[in-house]
Amino acid sequence: MDVLELARWQFGITTVYHFILVPLTIGLSTMVAILQTAWVRTGNEKYLRLTKFYGKLLLINFALGVATGIVQEFQFGMNWAEYSRFVGDVFGAPLAMEALAAFFLESTFLGLWIFGWDKLPKKLHLATVWAFAIGSFLSAYFIIAANSWMQHPVGARYNEETGRAEMTDIWAVLTNNTTLVAFPHVIATAFLVAGTFVAGIAVWWMVRKSREDRSHPDVSMYRTAARFGAVTMLVAGVAVVVTGDIQAKLMFEQQPIKMAAAEGLVHTAEPAGFSLLTIGNLAGNDPDSVVHLVEIPNFLSYMATGDWNAEVKGLDELQEIYAERYGEFDENGEAIEYRPNLAVTYWSFRLMIGLAVFSAAMCAAVFWFTRKGRVIDQEWMSKLALLSLPMPFLAASFGWIFTEMGRQPFVVAPNPTGSDQVMLMTMFGVSNATDVGEVATSMIVFTLVYAVLGVFWFRLLQRYASEGAPHVEYEEPSDDPDRPMSFAY
């Protein structure tokens, strides 16, 4: 492996590790805020217990997310120094906004929420968790804005003298149509992850408690949490489908070769069917061997344009178009392959969609078995709950793998409707100052450290989830200024 390949592997590994944690924080922060709001409004103890229960799991996840997220930005200046030199004027702005505004908003109000249970009035303390949730939304928006600029660069021009992209309109960067479409999809996914997380744990506890003592008050509490999670899954699931359809249509316009690769569509078709099962050499070196065994007729045409009979360009034709527009050969005289890795894009796209089926099954089962005041006591439901828990995490991760791998060979994809000059191929973004040994060492070290952190994350979540919702007694805030702050978890 050379430096480029190792740097790509390292960034991919650290990104997937980090993004496993991100959607749960975004979705669960709001769900915990809703539970605490219900307690403040009703005074019902079960909502306070659920707030404390899921709040502790949120804190564990957030802490690991911060630890893994810090590494991401360091890589831009180390392994990808040439990329940072090219895009720093543009890419750095939303990242700075994320750190200075969103992250500090999150961390400040999270600290007040943790330590303010016995210091702040109820409503003021409630406002802190909502501020934390809003901060997580803002953080996500700025990160999505930065990533969307890489997918569809706007508000910038290419300076031939410096060889860099320079920002011309920050507002255009922040309101990029790619951002405005991707952000709702990411947020909907986060709530699907969090809803499954809340419902899965609640169902497991409901089954356990109802089999021990059906009249136990905890059964009703966990039933409430399960239905709350199911409602969240239902709303988020619909939003994921709608926003995903909109995003797919936009992606067909901006990065048609990515979507053709996602379908294994080698030859232009009119109309084009959506592939459910494809065989052949998906590695990319023999695309003509790819055959669609099972497909939904005309559906890909609809996904691409909204027209059931529209033409969809295939990989071979798009390869020729890209080669003519952006160059046929690299600096070494070798032909540039603009077609992304078919196997990765094809299967990651399907796993992104397919794994979400577990959340749908979980949602339907919860609604059905808890209808009309019923509780769940079937043992197989607790197994379904545990099986469903990791699936939306994996689906979200495969979604990001598809998004990033499908953009290759560009790290900044060209904007065919704007200035094609603002683009950068991945091979030119890697640092010239690092060698194979340095990158390989850092990749191995970070992978091992992240693996250890992953074990801690899982074991801590498992430990505190298996303890169940704690029995708590709320203490009114004290006016004593000398009373020490207490860690509420």
Side-chain angles (χ1 to χ4, degrees):
M1 290 187 179
D2 57 13
V3 171
L4 173 62
E5 192 167 0
L6 285 169
R8 290 182 66 191
W9 269 105
Q10 179 170 352
F11 199 87
I13 291 169
T14 53
T15 299
V16 170
Y17 263 115
H18 177 59
F19 193 74
I20 286 177
L21 308 167
V22 170
L24 182 60
T25 294
I26 296 172
L28 192 56
S29 61
T30 302
M31 296 186 72
V32 169
I34 292 172
L35 288 170
Q36 186 169 341
T37 302
W39 169 64
V40 171
R41 289 181 62 87
T42 66
N44 193 323
E45 183 188 358
K46 70 178 180 181
Y47 294 117
L48 175 60
R49 294 181 62 193
L50 291 173
T51 299
K52 294 274 190 168
F53 179 45
Y54 288 108
K56 181 181 292 186
L57 303 181
L58 170 64
L59 294 178
I60 295 169
N61 192 75
F62 180 77
L64 269 293
V66 171
T68 55
I70 291 173
V71 177
Q72 297 298 98
E73 296 192 25
F74 277 100
Q75 290 181 90
F76 292 129
M78 301 175 87
N79 289 353
W80 299 98
E82 288 302 304
Y83 164 79
S84 295
R85 187 193 66 79
F86 180 77
V87 305
D89 186 60
V90 184
F91 193 76
L95 289 186
M97 292 177 184
E98 189 274 335
L100 295 174
F103 179 72
F104 281 110
L105 178 68
E106 284 182 276
S107 54
T108 299
F109 284 100
L110 180 62
L112 290 171
W113 184 66
I114 293 172
F115 295 103
W117 280 96
D118 59 351
K119 287 287 187 180
L120 300 174
K122 278 185 181 181
K123 292 183 179 180
L124 183 59
H125 184 255
L126 174 62
T128 64
V129 71
W130 277 110
F132 167 64
I134 292 170
S136 69
F137 275 68
L138 287 175
S139 181
Y141 188 87
F142 290 127
I143 295 298
I144 295 299
N147 182 266
S148 295
W149 188 87
M150 296 166 64
Q151 310 286 344
H152 183 240
V154 295
R157 68 180 181 89
Y158 178 69
N159 187 326
E160 294 185 0
E161 294 182 1
T162 61
R164 301 176 70 242
E166 297 179 348
M167 183 184 294
T168 58
D169 188 350
I170 180 62
W171 185 248
V173 174
L174 294 178
T175 59
N176 188 348
N177 60 353
T178 308
T179 303
L180 298 179
V181 170
F183 178 69
H185 188 63
V186 169
I187 295 302
T189 301
F191 278 106
L192 184 65
V193 170
T196 307
F197 183 82
V198 169
I201 294 173
V203 166
W204 186 85
W205 270 107
M206 193 190 335
V207 172
R208 179 175 175 178
K209 288 293 184 180
S210 60
R211 292 175 74 88
E212 292 176 357
D213 180 5
R214 199 176 186 84
S215 62
H216 197 286
D218 282 3
V219 174
S220 174
M221 178 184 67
Y222 288 120
R223 179 182 179 277
T224 299
R227 289 186 67 85
F228 176 42
V231 170
T232 303
M233 280 191 283
L234 178 62
V235 175
V238 173
V240 165
V241 173
V242 173
T243 57
D245 178 64
I246 298 172
Q247 189 175 25
K249 287 178 171 58
L250 184 63
M251 205 173 291
F252 269 108
E253 294 178 14
Q254 297 175 350
Q255 299 181 64
I257 202 165
K258 175 193 287 187
M259 297 306 294
E263 287 303 311
L265 185 68
V266 177
H267 304 292
T268 300
E270 183 183 1
F274 179 82
S275 168
L276 296 178
L277 179 61
T278 294
I279 62 171
N281 186 349
L282 288 172
N285 55 359
D286 186 15
D288 288 333
S289 67
V290 176
V291 178
H292 293 185
L293 285 184
V294 182
E295 67 177 23
I296 303 174
N298 299 52
F299 191 58
L300 182 59
S301 293
Y302 175 79
M303 285 180 60
T305 66
D307 182 353
W308 292 94
N309 297 301
E311 176 187 85
V312 180
K313 287 183 172 60
L315 289 166
D316 286 349
E317 183 177 349
L318 289 169
Q319 169 69 23
E320 295 176 2
I321 294 173
Y322 274 59
E324 181 180 354
R325 183 179 295 168
Y326 307 116
E328 187 174 355
F329 301 100
D330 62 19
E331 57 186 9
N332 298 320
E334 298 180 1
I336 300 176
E337 179 59 73
Y338 290 98
R339 288 169 291 207
N341 185 300
L342 298 187
V344 173
T345 50
Y346 181 87
W347 287 112
S348 60
F349 187 71
R350 273 143 193 79
L351 287 169
M352 173 187 69
I353 298 172
L355 291 174
V357 171
F358 286 88
S359 293
M362 182 71 185
C363 178
V366 170
F367 277 126
W368 177 256
F369 289 106
T370 60
R371 69 191 188 282
K372 298 180 180 180
R374 292 180 174 88
V375 297
I376 300 174
D377 59 2
Q378 294 87 347
E379 187 66 32
W380 64 268
M381 272 296 296
S382 64
K383 295 179 181 178
L384 174 62
L386 294 179
L387 180 63
S388 299
L389 280 176
M391 298 307 175
F393 287 90
L394 295 174
S397 296
F398 278 115
W400 273 108
I401 290 171
F402 161 71
T403 299
E404 299 305 297
M405 288 292 290
R407 189 179 64 243
Q408 302 303 317
F410 297 102
V411 66
V412 178
N415 179 355
T417 61
S419 173
D420 284 355
Q421 291 180 316
V422 182
M423 65 175 189
L424 183 68
M425 289 192 176
T426 306
M427 69 179 84
F428 301 126
V430 71
S431 174
N432 296 320
T434 54
D435 57 38
V436 170
E438 291 171 337
V439 180
T441 300
S442 63
M443 183 183 73
I444 293 170
V445 170
F446 276 122
T447 302
L448 292 175
V449 170
Y450 275 22
V452 172
L453 289 176
V455 171
F456 276 106
W457 171 75
F458 176 77
R459 293 294 296 171
L460 285 171
L461 288 180
Q462 183 188 45
R463 172 187 170 183
Y464 289 109
S466 62
E467 288 182 359
H471 291 277
V472 294
E473 292 184 6
Y474 177 71
E475 295 184 19
E476 292 294 334
S478 172
D479 294 329
D480 182 5
D482 297 324
R483 183 178 179 179
M485 298 180 73
S486 60
F487 187 76
Y489 295 92

